[in-house]
Coordinates of all heavy atoms in Angstrom, one line a residue:
M1040 N 0.8 -1.2 0.0 CA 0.0 0.0 0.0 C 0.9 1.2 0.0 O 1.9 1.3 0.7 CB -0.9 0.0 1.2 CG -2.2 -0.6 1.1 SD -3.1 -0.3 2.5 CE -4.6 0.3 1.8
S1041 N 0.4 2.2 -0.7 CA 1.1 3.5 -0.7 C 0.4 4.5 0.1 O -0.8 4.3 0.4 CB 1.3 4.0 -2.2 OG 0.0 4.3 -2.7
E1042 N 1.1 5.5 0.5 CA 0.5 6.5 1.3 C -0.3 7.5 0.5 O -0.9 8.4 1.1 CB 1.5 7.1 2.2 CG 2.1 6.1 3.2 CD 2.8 6.8 4.3 OE1 2.6 8.0 4.5 OE2 3.6 6.2 5.0
K1043 N -0.2 7.5 -0.7 CA -0.9 8.4 -1.6 C -2.2 7.8 -1.9 O -2.4 6.6 -2.2 CB -0.1 8.6 -2.9 CG 1.1 9.5 -2.7 CD 1.7 9.8 -4.1 CE 2.9 10.7 -3.9 NZ 3.4 11.1 -5.2
V1044 N -3.2 8.7 -1.9 CA -4.6 8.3 -2.2 C -5.0 9.0 -3.5 O -4.8 10.2 -3.6 CB -5.6 8.7 -1.1 CG1 -7.0 8.3 -1.5 CG2 -5.2 8.0 0.2
T1045 N -5.4 8.2 -4.4 CA -5.8 8.8 -5.7 C -7.3 9.1 -5.6 O -8.2 8.2 -5.3 CB -5.6 7.8 -6.9 OG1 -6.3 6.6 -6.6 CG2 -4.1 7.6 -7.0
T1046 N -7.7 10.3 -5.9 CA -9.1 10.7 -5.8 C -9.5 11.3 -7.2 O -8.7 11.8 -7.9 CB -9.3 11.8 -4.8 OG1 -8.5 13.0 -5.1 CG2 -9.0 11.3 -3.4
E1047 N -10.7 11.1 -7.4 CA -11.3 11.7 -8.7 C -12.5 12.5 -8.3 O -13.2 12.2 -7.4 CB -11.7 10.5 -9.6 CG -10.6 9.6 -10.1 CD -11.1 8.5 -10.9 OE1 -12.3 8.5 -11.2 OE2 -10.3 7.6 -11.3
P1048 N -12.7 13.6 -9.1 CA -13.9 14.4 -8.8 C -15.2 13.5 -9.1 O -15.1 12.6 -10.0 CB -13.8 15.5 -9.8 CG -12.8 15.1 -10.8 CD -11.9 14.1 -10.2
P1049 N -16.2 13.7 -8.4 CA -17.4 12.9 -8.7 C -18.0 13.2 -10.1 O -17.8 14.3 -10.6 CB -18.4 13.4 -7.6 CG -17.9 14.7 -7.2 CD -16.4 14.7 -7.4
A1050 N -18.6 12.2 -10.6 CA -19.2 12.3 -12.0 C -20.5 13.1 -11.8 O -21.5 12.5 -11.2 CB -19.4 11.0 -12.6
V1051 N -20.5 14.3 -12.2 CA -21.7 15.2 -12.0 C -22.2 15.6 -13.3 O -21.4 16.1 -14.2 CB -21.4 16.4 -11.1 CG1 -22.6 17.3 -10.9 CG2 -20.9 15.9 -9.7
E1052 N -23.5 15.6 -13.5 CA -24.1 16.1 -14.7 C -24.6 17.5 -14.4 O -25.4 17.6 -13.4 CB -25.2 15.2 -15.3 CG -24.8 14.0 -15.9 CD -25.9 13.3 -16.6 OE1 -26.8 13.9 -17.2 OE2 -26.0 12.0 -16.5
L1053 N -24.3 18.5 -15.2 CA -24.8 19.8 -14.9 C -26.1 19.9 -15.7 O -26.3 19.3 -16.8 CB -23.8 20.9 -15.4 CG -22.5 20.9 -14.6 CD1 -21.5 21.9 -15.2 CD2 -22.7 21.2 -13.2
A1054 N -27.0 20.7 -15.2 CA -28.3 20.9 -15.9 C -28.1 21.8 -17.1 O -27.4 22.8 -17.0 CB -29.3 21.6 -14.9
N1055 N -28.6 21.3 -18.2 CA -28.5 22.1 -19.4 C -29.7 23.1 -19.5 O -30.7 23.0 -18.7 CB -28.5 21.3 -20.7 CG -29.7 20.4 -20.8 OD1 -30.7 20.6 -20.2 ND2 -29.6 19.4 -21.7
K1056 N -29.6 24.1 -20.4 CA -30.6 25.2 -20.4 C -32.0 24.7 -20.7 O -32.9 25.1 -20.1 CB -30.1 26.1 -21.5 CG -30.8 27.4 -21.5 CD -30.2 28.4 -22.5 CE -30.9 29.7 -22.4 NZ -30.3 30.7 -23.4
D1057 N -32.1 23.7 -21.6 CA -33.4 23.2 -21.9 C -34.1 22.5 -20.7 O -35.3 22.7 -20.5 CB -33.3 22.1 -23.1 CG -32.9 22.8 -24.4 OD1 -33.1 24.0 -24.6 OD2 -32.3 22.0 -25.2
W1058 N -33.4 21.7 -20.0 CA -33.9 21.1 -18.8 C -34.4 22.1 -17.7 O -35.4 22.0 -17.2 CB -32.9 20.1 -18.2 CG -33.4 19.4 -17.0 CD1 -34.2 18.3 -17.0 CD2 -33.3 19.8 -15.6 NE1 -34.5 17.9 -15.7 CE2 -34.0 18.8 -14.8 CE3 -32.7 20.8 -15.0 CZ2 -34.1 18.8 -13.5 CZ3 -32.7 20.8 -13.6 CH2 -33.4 19.9 -12.8
V1059 N -33.5 23.1 -17.5 CA -33.9 24.2 -16.6 C -35.1 24.9 -17.0 O -36.0 25.2 -16.2 CB -32.7 25.2 -16.4 CG1 -33.1 26.4 -15.5 CG2 -31.5 24.5 -15.8
L1060 N -35.2 25.3 -18.3 CA -36.4 26.0 -18.7 C -37.7 25.1 -18.6 O -38.7 25.6 -18.2 CB -36.2 26.4 -20.2 CG -35.3 27.5 -20.4 CD1 -35.1 27.8 -21.9 CD2 -35.7 28.8 -19.8
K1061 N -37.5 23.8 -18.9 CA -38.7 22.9 -18.7 C -39.1 22.8 -17.3 O -40.3 22.9 -17.0 CB -38.3 21.5 -19.2 CG -39.4 20.5 -19.2 CD -39.0 19.1 -19.6 CE -38.4 18.5 -18.4 NZ -38.2 17.1 -18.3
E1062 N -38.2 22.7 -16.4 CA -38.5 22.7 -14.9 C -39.1 24.0 -14.4 O -40.0 24.0 -13.6 CB -37.3 22.3 -14.1 CG -36.8 20.9 -14.3 CD -37.8 19.9 -13.9 OE1 -38.5 20.0 -12.9 OE2 -38.1 18.9 -14.7
L1063 N -38.6 25.1 -14.9 CA -39.2 26.4 -14.5 C -40.6 26.5 -15.0 O -41.5 27.0 -14.3 CB -38.3 27.5 -15.1 CG -37.0 27.8 -14.4 CD1 -36.2 28.9 -15.1 CD2 -37.3 28.2 -12.9
M1064 N -40.9 26.1 -16.2 CA -42.2 26.2 -16.8 C -43.2 25.3 -16.0 O -44.3 25.6 -15.7 CB -42.3 25.8 -18.3 CG -41.6 26.8 -19.2 SD -42.4 28.4 -19.0 CE -44.0 28.1 -19.7
D1065 N -42.7 24.1 -15.6 CA -43.5 23.1 -14.8 C -43.8 23.8 -13.5 O -45.0 23.7 -13.0 CB -42.7 21.8 -14.7 CG -43.6 20.8 -13.9 OD1 -44.7 20.6 -14.2 OD2 -43.0 20.2 -12.9
T1066 N -42.8 24.4 -12.8 CA -43.1 25.0 -11.5 C -44.0 26.2 -11.7 O -44.9 26.3 -10.8 CB -41.7 25.5 -11.0 OG1 -40.8 24.4 -10.9 CG2 -41.9 26.1 -9.6
E1067 N -43.9 27.0 -12.7 CA -44.8 28.1 -12.9 C -46.2 27.6 -13.1 O -47.2 28.2 -12.6 CB -44.3 28.9 -14.1 CG -45.1 30.2 -14.3 CD -44.6 31.0 -15.4 OE1 -43.4 30.9 -15.8 OE2 -45.4 31.9 -15.9
R1068 N -46.4 26.5 -13.9 CA -47.7 26.0 -14.1 C -48.3 25.5 -12.8 O -49.5 25.7 -12.6 CB -47.7 24.8 -15.1 CG -47.5 25.3 -16.5 CD -47.8 24.1 -17.5 NE -47.3 24.5 -18.8 CZ -46.1 24.1 -19.4 NH1 -45.4 23.3 -18.8 NH2 -45.8 24.6 -20.6
R1069 N -47.5 24.9 -12.0 CA -48.0 24.4 -10.7 C -48.5 25.6 -9.8 O -49.5 25.5 -9.1 CB -47.0 23.6 -10.0 CG -46.7 22.2 -10.6 CD -45.7 21.5 -9.8 NE -45.3 20.3 -10.5 CZ -44.6 19.3 -9.9 NH1 -44.2 19.4 -8.6 NH2 -44.3 18.2 -10.6
F1070 N -47.7 26.6 -9.8 CA -48.1 27.8 -9.0 C -49.4 28.4 -9.6 O -50.3 28.8 -8.8 CB -47.0 28.9 -9.1 CG -45.8 28.7 -8.2 CD1 -44.5 29.0 -8.6 CD2 -46.0 28.2 -6.9 CE1 -43.5 28.8 -7.8 CE2 -44.9 28.0 -6.1 CZ -43.6 28.3 -6.5
E1071 N -49.5 28.5 -10.9 CA -50.7 29.1 -11.5 C -51.9 28.2 -11.1 O -53.0 28.7 -10.8 CB -50.6 29.2 -13.0 CG -49.7 30.3 -13.4 CD -49.5 30.4 -14.9 OE1 -50.0 29.6 -15.6 OE2 -48.7 31.3 -15.3
K1072 N -51.8 26.9 -11.2 CA -52.9 26.0 -10.9 C -53.3 26.1 -9.4 O -54.5 26.2 -9.1 CB -52.5 24.5 -11.2 CG -53.6 23.5 -11.0 CD -53.1 22.1 -11.3 CE -54.2 21.1 -10.9 NZ -53.7 19.7 -11.1
A1073 N -52.3 26.1 -8.5 CA -52.6 26.2 -7.1 C -53.3 27.6 -6.8 O -54.2 27.6 -6.0 CB -51.3 26.1 -6.3
F1074 N -52.8 28.6 -7.4 CA -53.4 30.0 -7.2 C -54.8 30.0 -7.7 O -55.7 30.5 -7.1 CB -52.6 31.0 -7.9 CG -53.1 32.4 -7.8 CD1 -52.9 33.1 -6.6 CD2 -53.8 33.0 -8.8 CE1 -53.4 34.4 -6.4 CE2 -54.3 34.3 -8.6 CZ -54.1 35.0 -7.4
H1075 N -55.1 29.4 -8.9 CA -56.4 29.3 -9.4 C -57.4 28.5 -8.5 O -58.5 28.9 -8.2 CB -56.4 28.7 -10.8 CG -57.7 28.6 -11.5 ND1 -58.4 29.7 -11.9 CD2 -58.5 27.5 -11.8 CE1 -59.6 29.3 -12.4 NE2 -59.6 28.0 -12.4
E1076 N -56.9 27.4 -8.1 CA -57.7 26.5 -7.2 C -58.0 27.3 -5.8 O -59.1 27.2 -5.3 CB -57.0 25.2 -6.9 CG -57.0 24.3 -8.1 CD -56.2 23.0 -7.8 OE1 -55.5 22.9 -6.7 OE2 -56.1 22.2 -8.7
Q1077 N -57.0 28.0 -5.3 CA -57.2 28.7 -4.1 C -58.2 29.9 -4.3 O -59.1 30.1 -3.5 CB -55.9 29.3 -3.6 CG -56.0 30.0 -2.2 CD -56.2 29.0 -1.1 OE1 -55.9 27.8 -1.2 NE2 -56.7 29.4 0.0
T1078 N -58.1 30.5 -5.5 CA -59.1 31.6 -5.8 C -60.5 31.1 -5.9 O -61.4 31.7 -5.3 CB -58.7 32.3 -7.1 OG1 -57.3 32.8 -7.0 CG2 -59.6 33.4 -7.4
L1079 N -60.7 29.9 -6.5 CA -62.0 29.3 -6.6 C -62.5 29.0 -5.2 O -63.7 29.2 -4.9 CB -62.0 28.1 -7.5 CG -61.7 28.3 -9.0 CD1 -61.7 27.0 -9.7 CD2 -62.9 29.2 -9.6
F1080 N -61.7 28.4 -4.4 CA -62.1 28.0 -3.0 C -62.5 29.2 -2.2 O -63.6 29.2 -1.6 CB -60.9 27.3 -2.3 CG -61.2 27.0 -0.9 CD1 -62.1 25.9 -0.6 CD2 -60.7 27.7 0.1 CE1 -62.3 25.6 0.7 CE2 -60.9 27.4 1.4 CZ -61.8 26.3 1.8
L1081 N -61.7 30.3 -2.3 CA -62.0 31.5 -1.5 C -63.3 32.2 -2.0 O -64.1 32.7 -1.3 CB -60.9 32.5 -1.5 CG -59.6 32.0 -0.7 CD1 -58.5 33.0 -0.9 CD2 -60.0 31.9 0.7
T1082 N -63.5 32.1 -3.4 CA -64.7 32.7 -3.9 C -65.9 31.9 -3.4 O -67.0 32.6 -3.1 CB -64.7 32.7 -5.5 OG1 -63.5 33.4 -5.9 CG2 -65.9 33.3 -6.1
K1083 N -65.8 30.6 -3.4 CA -66.9 29.8 -2.9 C -67.2 30.1 -1.5 O -68.4 30.3 -1.1 CB -66.6 28.3 -3.1 CG -67.7 27.4 -2.7 CD -67.3 25.9 -2.8 CE -68.2 25.0 -2.2 NZ -67.7 23.7 -2.1
E1084 N -66.2 30.1 -0.6 CA -66.3 30.3 0.8 C -66.9 31.7 1.1 O -67.7 31.9 1.9 CB -65.0 30.2 1.5 CG -64.5 28.7 1.6 CD -65.4 27.8 2.4 OE1 -65.9 28.2 3.5 OE2 -65.7 26.7 1.9
T1085 N -66.4 32.7 0.3 CA -66.9 34.1 0.5 C -68.4 34.2 0.1 O -69.1 34.9 0.8 CB -66.1 35.1 -0.4 OG1 -64.7 34.9 0.0 CG2 -66.5 36.5 -0.2
G1086 N -68.8 33.5 -1.0 CA -70.2 33.5 -1.4 C -71.1 32.9 -0.3 O -72.1 33.5 0.0
E1087 N -70.6 31.8 0.2 CA -71.4 31.2 1.3 C -71.5 32.1 2.5 O -72.6 32.2 3.2 CB -70.8 29.8 1.7 CG -71.0 28.8 0.6 CD -70.3 27.5 0.9 OE1 -69.8 27.4 2.1 OE2 -70.3 26.6 0.1
L1088 N -70.4 32.7 2.9 CA -70.4 33.6 4.0 C -71.3 34.8 3.8 O -72.1 35.2 4.7 CB -69.0 34.1 4.3 CG -68.8 35.0 5.5 CD1 -69.1 34.2 6.8 CD2 -67.3 35.4 5.6
K1089 N -71.3 35.4 2.6 CA -72.2 36.5 2.3 C -73.7 36.1 2.4 O -74.5 36.8 2.9 CB -72.0 37.0 0.9 CG -70.7 37.8 0.8 CD -70.5 38.3 -0.6 CE -69.2 39.1 -0.8 NZ -69.0 39.6 -2.1
R1090 N -74.0 34.9 1.9 CA -75.4 34.4 2.0 C -75.8 34.2 3.5 O -76.9 34.5 3.9 CB -75.6 33.1 1.3 CG -75.9 33.3 -0.2 CD -76.1 32.0 -0.9 NE -74.9 31.8 -1.6 CZ -74.2 30.6 -1.7 NH1 -74.7 29.6 -1.0 NH2 -73.1 30.5 -2.3
E1091 N -74.9 33.7 4.3 CA -75.1 33.4 5.7 C -75.4 34.8 6.4 O -76.3 34.9 7.2 CB -74.0 32.7 6.3 CG -74.3 32.3 7.8 CD -73.1 31.4 8.3 OE1 -72.5 30.6 7.6 OE2 -72.8 31.6 9.5
I1092 N -74.5 35.8 6.1 CA -74.7 37.1 6.8 C -76.0 37.7 6.3 O -76.7 38.3 7.1 CB -73.4 38.0 6.4 CG1 -72.2 37.4 7.1 CG2 -73.7 39.4 6.8 CD1 -70.9 38.1 6.8
A1093 N -76.3 37.6 5.0 CA -77.6 38.2 4.6 C -78.8 37.5 5.3 O -79.7 38.2 5.7 CB -77.7 38.0 3.0
N1094 N -78.7 36.2 5.5 CA -79.8 35.5 6.2 C -79.9 36.0 7.6 O -81.0 36.3 8.1 CB -79.5 34.0 6.1 CG -80.7 33.2 6.6 OD1 -81.9 33.7 6.5 ND2 -80.5 32.0 7.1
Q1095 N -78.8 36.1 8.3 CA -78.7 36.6 9.7 C -79.2 38.1 9.8 O -80.0 38.4 10.7 CB -77.3 36.5 10.3 CG -76.9 35.1 10.5 CD -75.4 35.1 11.0 OE1 -74.7 36.1 11.0 NE2 -75.0 33.9 11.4
T1096 N -78.9 38.9 8.8 CA -79.3 40.3 8.8 C -80.8 40.3 8.6 O -81.5 41.1 9.3 CB -78.7 41.0 7.6 OG1 -77.2 40.9 7.8 CG2 -79.0 42.5 7.6
R1097 N -81.4 39.5 7.7 CA -82.9 39.5 7.6 C -83.6 39.1 8.9 O -84.6 39.7 9.3 CB -83.3 38.5 6.5 CG -83.1 39.1 5.1 CD -83.9 38.2 4.1 NE -83.3 36.9 4.0 CZ -82.4 36.5 3.1 NH1 -81.9 37.3 2.2 NH2 -81.9 35.2 3.1
W1098 N -83.1 38.1 9.5 CA -83.6 37.7 10.8 C -83.5 38.8 11.9 O -84.5 39.0 12.6 CB -82.9 36.4 11.3 CG -83.5 35.1 10.8 CD1 -83.0 34.4 9.7 CD2 -84.7 34.5 11.2 NE1 -83.9 33.4 9.5 CE2 -84.9 33.4 10.4 CE3 -85.7 34.8 12.2 CZ2 -86.0 32.5 10.5 CZ3 -86.7 33.9 12.3 CH2 -86.9 32.8 11.5
T1099 N -82.4 39.4 11.9 CA -82.2 40.5 12.9 C -83.1 41.7 12.6 O -83.8 42.2 13.5 CB -80.7 41.0 12.9 OG1 -79.9 39.9 13.1 CG2 -80.5 42.0 13.9
V1100 N -83.3 42.1 11.4 CA -84.2 43.2 11.0 C -85.6 42.8 11.3 O -86.4 43.6 11.9 CB -84.0 43.6 9.5 CG1 -85.1 44.5 9.1 CG2 -82.7 44.2 9.3
G1101 N -86.0 41.5 11.0 CA -87.3 41.1 11.3 C -87.6 41.1 12.8 O -88.7 41.5 13.3
L1102 N -86.6 40.6 13.6 CA -86.8 40.6 15.0 C -86.9 42.0 15.6 O -87.8 42.2 16.5 CB -85.6 39.9 15.7 CG -85.6 39.7 17.2 CD1 -86.7 38.9 17.6 CD2 -84.3 39.2 17.7
I1103 N -86.1 42.9 15.2 CA -86.2 44.3 15.7 C -87.5 44.9 15.3 O -88.1 45.6 16.1 CB -85.0 45.1 15.1 CG1 -83.7 44.7 15.7 CG2 -85.2 46.6 15.4 CD1 -82.4 45.3 15.1
T1104 N -88.0 44.7 14.1 CA -89.3 45.2 13.6 C -90.4 44.7 14.5 O -91.3 45.4 14.9 CB -89.5 44.9 12.1 OG1 -88.4 45.4 11.4 CG2 -90.8 45.5 11.6
T1105 N -90.4 43.4 14.7 CA -91.4 42.7 15.5 C -91.4 43.2 16.9 O -92.5 43.5 17.5 CB -91.2 41.2 15.5 OG1 -91.2 40.7 14.1 CG2 -92.3 40.5 16.3
M1106 N -90.2 43.4 17.5 CA -90.1 43.9 18.9 C -90.6 45.3 19.0 O -91.3 45.7 19.9 CB -88.7 43.7 19.4 CG -88.3 42.3 19.6 SD -89.3 41.4 20.7 CE -89.0 42.1 22.2
T1107 N -90.3 46.1 18.0 CA -90.7 47.5 18.0 C -92.2 47.6 17.9 O -92.8 48.4 18.6 CB -90.1 48.3 16.8 OG1 -88.7 48.2 16.8 CG2 -90.5 49.7 16.8
I1108 N -92.8 46.8 17.0 CA -94.3 46.8 16.9 C -94.9 46.3 18.2 O -95.9 46.9 18.7 CB -94.7 46.0 15.7 CG1 -94.3 46.7 14.4 CG2 -96.2 45.7 15.7 CD1 -94.5 45.8 13.2
A1109 N -94.3 45.3 18.8 CA -94.9 44.8 20.1 C -94.8 45.8 21.2 O -95.7 46.0 22.0 CB -94.1 43.5 20.4
I1110 N -93.7 46.6 21.2 CA -93.5 47.6 22.3 C -94.5 48.7 22.0 O -95.2 49.2 23.0 CB -92.1 48.1 22.3 CG1 -91.2 47.0 22.8 CG2 -92.0 49.4 23.2 CD1 -89.7 47.3 22.7
I1111 N -94.7 49.1 20.8 CA -95.6 50.2 20.5 C -97.1 49.8 20.8 O -97.8 50.6 21.5 CB -95.5 50.6 19.0 CG1 -94.2 51.4 18.8 CG2 -96.7 51.5 18.6 CD1 -93.9 51.6 17.3
L1112 N -97.5 48.6 20.5 CA -98.8 48.1 20.8 C -99.0 47.9 22.3 O -100.1 48.3 22.8 CB -99.1 46.7 20.1 CG -99.2 46.8 18.6 CD1 -99.4 45.4 18.0 CD2 -100.4 47.6 18.2
A1113 N -97.9 47.5 23.0 CA -98.1 47.4 24.5 C -98.2 48.7 25.1 O -99.0 48.9 26.1 CB -96.8 46.7 25.0
V1114 N -97.5 49.7 24.6 CA -97.6 51.1 25.2 C -99.0 51.7 24.9 O -99.7 52.3 25.7 CB -96.5 52.0 24.7 CG1 -96.8 53.5 25.0 CG2 -95.2 51.5 25.2
L1115 N -99.5 51.5 23.6 CA -100.8 52.1 23.2 C -101.9 51.4 23.9 O -102.9 52.1 24.3 CB -100.9 52.0 21.7 CG -100.0 53.0 20.9 CD1 -100.2 52.7 19.4 CD2 -100.3 54.4 21.2
F1116 N -101.9 50.1 24.1 CA -103.1 49.4 24.6 C -102.8 48.9 26.0 O -103.2 47.9 26.4 CB -103.4 48.2 23.7 CG -103.9 48.6 22.3 CD1 -103.1 48.4 21.2 CD2 -105.1 49.3 22.2 CE1 -103.5 48.8 20.0 CE2 -105.5 49.7 20.9 CZ -104.7 49.4 19.8
K1117 N -102.1 49.7 26.8 CA -101.7 49.4 28.1 C -102.9 49.0 29.0 O -103.7 48.6 29.5 CB -101.0 50.5 28.8 CG -100.4 50.3 30.1 CD -99.6 51.5 30.5 CE -98.8 51.2 31.7 NZ -98.1 52.3 32.2

């Protein structure tokens, strides 16, 4: 055995320009798809929330109106 060790640089393949561009486009498409899906989800959730708030608002207005009429009738026909 000798005290010298022979080493070689590892066999590495560098990415060529075409591969990098393909990967960048793939990543960009994934981002766009995820953004689109998130936008659709938020639009759906926002629409449901608006309907729920509108329903609660109708009930609240109806309750206030009914209570106002009941108080007026109670005062008038005491």
